[in-house]
Amino acid sequence: MQRFFIQKSCMLALTLFVLAGCKKNNPNQAYQQQAPELPVEKVQQGNATVENEYAASVEGISNVEIRPQVTGYLTKIFVDEGDFVRAGQPLFKIEDQIFREQLKSAQATLISAQASLATSKIDLDRKKELFRNKMVSDIQVKEAEANYNAARGSVSQATSSIESAKINLNFSTIKAPVSGYIGRFNYRLGSLLTPSNQEAITLLSDIHQVYTYFSLSENDFNNFQKQHTGSSIDEVLKNTPQVSLLLSGGEKYAEVGKVDAVEGQFNKTTGSITLRAKFNNPNNVLRSGNTGKIVMKQDFSNVILLPIASTRVIQDKTFVFTIKDGKALMLPIEVSGKAGTNFIVSKGLKAGDQYIVTGFDRLQPGTPVVAQKQNSQPKKS
C-alpha cells in the first residue's frame, strides 16, 4: 500500500512538471491573452487654418528727432520727459538775445538802404530832366540809373536780412512739429546746442497709430503671396486679411491691424523679408519700442490632419503609433504646423493610414496590440 502511494505521488509531480514546462515554452499565448485593445482610426485629409506667430517691433507712425536749427545755450525747457504735446506747442528755448540784435541791425540797415534808394531816385529824375534840356550827357544819366538800381538791391538785401533774422529768432523757440509723446532728454539747461550736435535733443513719437515690423522666411513669404494673389504687391496687400498682435506678456491687443507694406528685397544675411502692419492706438497702449508677436492666419486645403494628442514627441522628433501584423509600430512624421488640436503632417503619413488614437503612453514598438474601432474623428480647423 505504501509503495502504491509513492508511485501516485511521483506520477502527480511528473505531470505538474510537464504542464509547467509546457506553459513556460508558450509565452506568446500569455501575451496574446493580455494584448491591449486600443482605439484605431484612419488618417483624415481636409482643410485647415494655421495661426503663425512672428516676432514684431513697434514704432510710432511718426518718430521725429527734435534738433536745434540755430546755435545757442538752452535756457528753458517747457515740457517734461514722457509728456504728451500738441503740434506747435513750445518745447525748448535757446538764448535769443543775439538773434534780437541781429534783427535790429537788419532793420536799421533797411532804413539806411531805403534812404539811399530815395536819394538815388531823386538824382536819377533830376538828371533825366537835365538830359532832356541837353544840360548833361547820356553817360551821366546811365550812371544815375546804375546808382538807383544798386540802391534798390540794397533795400532787397536788407529786407532779406530782416526775414532771415526773424526766422532765426523764431527758431530759438523749438516747437513740436507733430502731436505725440516726448522721449528722454539728451541735453539739460545750460547745454550749448548747435545744428551739428551728434544727438538730437529728444525724440517725439506720434502714436495715435503705430507700425509693427516683422519678418517672414522665404518659404513663408512665398505662401503669403500664393494665398493672396494679385498682379502687383499693392493688389496683394489689398487682399491680405487682418492680423492680430500679442503683447510681450502674451495678452492679445484689442485692435486688429492690416499689412500695408513689404520691404523691397530679402535680407541676404537672414534670408528673410520684412513686412509692416498698421494698428490704430486710440488708448495709447502701444509705445515706440514695444515688442510683441504678429499673429497671421494662413489657409491650407487638402492637407493631412492628425490629432496632436495622438502623437509622441521624443528628442524634438514627432512619432505616431500604428499596428502592423498585430504589433505596435512607431512611425516618425514631419509636421509643418498646427491647426487647432491637429498637426498638419507633411511627411510620414497619407490619407487612409491607420494610427492608434490613445492609450500608447507605455506602449513599446513590437508589443502585440488589438485594434478596436472608434467613431471619433480628428477635428478639422
Side-chain angles (χ1 to χ4, degrees), residues 27 50 100 167 213 225 273 287 321 348:
V50 176
R100 292 184 183 278
I167 290 172
Y213 294 89
Q225 287 185 304
I273 192 168
R287 299 289 183 98
F321 276 95

Side-chain angles (χ1 to χ4, degrees), residues 12 44 54 158 196 222 242 301:
L12 180 60
Q44 300 295 310
Y54 304 96
S196 60
N222 289 337
Q242 293 177 328
S301 59

Side-chain angles (χ1 to χ4, degrees), residues 56-287:
S57 60
V58 178
E59 291 185 13
I61 195 170
S62 178
N63 289 325
V64 182
E65 288 186 341
I66 305 300
R67 290 183 175 273
Q69 292 179 279
V70 293
T71 298
Y73 291 100
L74 181 60
T75 58
K76 289 183 181 179
I77 299 177
F78 300 109
V79 294
D80 199 0
E81 296 172 335
D83 282 353
F84 178 81
V85 297
R86 299 285 182 184
Q89 180 177 336
L91 306 178
F92 306 97
K93 181 68 175 178
I94 295 176
E95 173 59 45
D96 62 356
Q97 186 61 37
I98 187 174
F99 306 116
R100 292 184 183 278
E101 294 303 322
Q102 289 175 352
L103 177 59
K104 291 179 181 179
S105 177
Q107 290 171 338
T109 301
L110 177 61
I111 294 173
S112 178
Q114 289 173 335
S116 296
L117 177 64
T119 301
S120 62
K121 180 67 169 62
I122 294 172
D123 183 59
L124 177 61
D125 292 341
R126 183 174 61 86
K127 287 186 177 180
K128 283 182 177 180
E129 182 64 25
L130 293 174
F131 177 75
R132 282 193 292 269
N133 295 323
K134 298 182 179 181
M135 297 179 66
V136 296
S137 65
D138 179 60
I139 294 176
Q140 289 176 304
V141 173
K142 289 181 178 179
E143 287 178 349
E145 287 179 345
N147 291 334
Y148 174 72
N149 290 330
R152 288 178 59 191
S154 297
V155 170
S156 297
Q157 186 176 11
T159 302
S160 177
S161 297
I162 289 176
E163 295 303 319
S164 178
K166 287 180 178 178
I167 290 172
N168 288 337
L169 183 60
N170 289 333
F171 280 159
S172 66
T173 300
I174 301 174
K175 299 179 180 179
V178 297
S179 298
Y181 284 89
I182 292 291
R184 184 176 178 178
F185 297 158
N186 294 315
Y187 300 92
R188 301 296 172 179
L189 289 175
S191 298
L192 178 61
L193 302 180
T194 70
S196 60
N197 284 142
Q198 185 175 2
E199 290 184 311
I201 303 174
T202 188
L203 186 70
L204 178 59
S205 297
D206 179 3
I207 58 172
H208 79 280
Q209 288 182 316
V210 296
Y211 289 134
T212 57
Y213 294 89
F214 61 101
S215 297
L216 299 184
S217 66
E218 188 171 353
N219 290 336
D220 285 348
F221 183 68
N222 289 337
N223 291 332
F224 172 80
Q225 287 185 304
K226 290 177 182 177
Q227 185 174 348
H228 311 292
T229 57
S231 59
S232 66
I233 191 62
D234 291 334
E235 291 186 8
V236 171
L237 294 176
K238 289 180 181 178
N239 298 327
T240 57
Q242 293 177 328
V243 296
S244 302
L245 176 64
L246 297 180
L247 303 180
S248 59
E251 63 272 23
K252 190 174 183 180
Y253 181 56
E255 301 287 332
V256 293
K258 179 80 172 177
V259 177
D260 68 342
V262 178
E263 193 176 10
Q265 59 186 9
F266 279 85
N267 186 305
K268 294 181 180 179
T269 303
T270 63
S272 61
I273 192 168
T274 300
L275 280 69
R276 186 185 74 188
K278 183 189 291 185
F279 287 82
N280 289 326
N281 191 29
N283 299 319
N284 297 326
V285 174
L286 300 175
R287 299 289 183 98

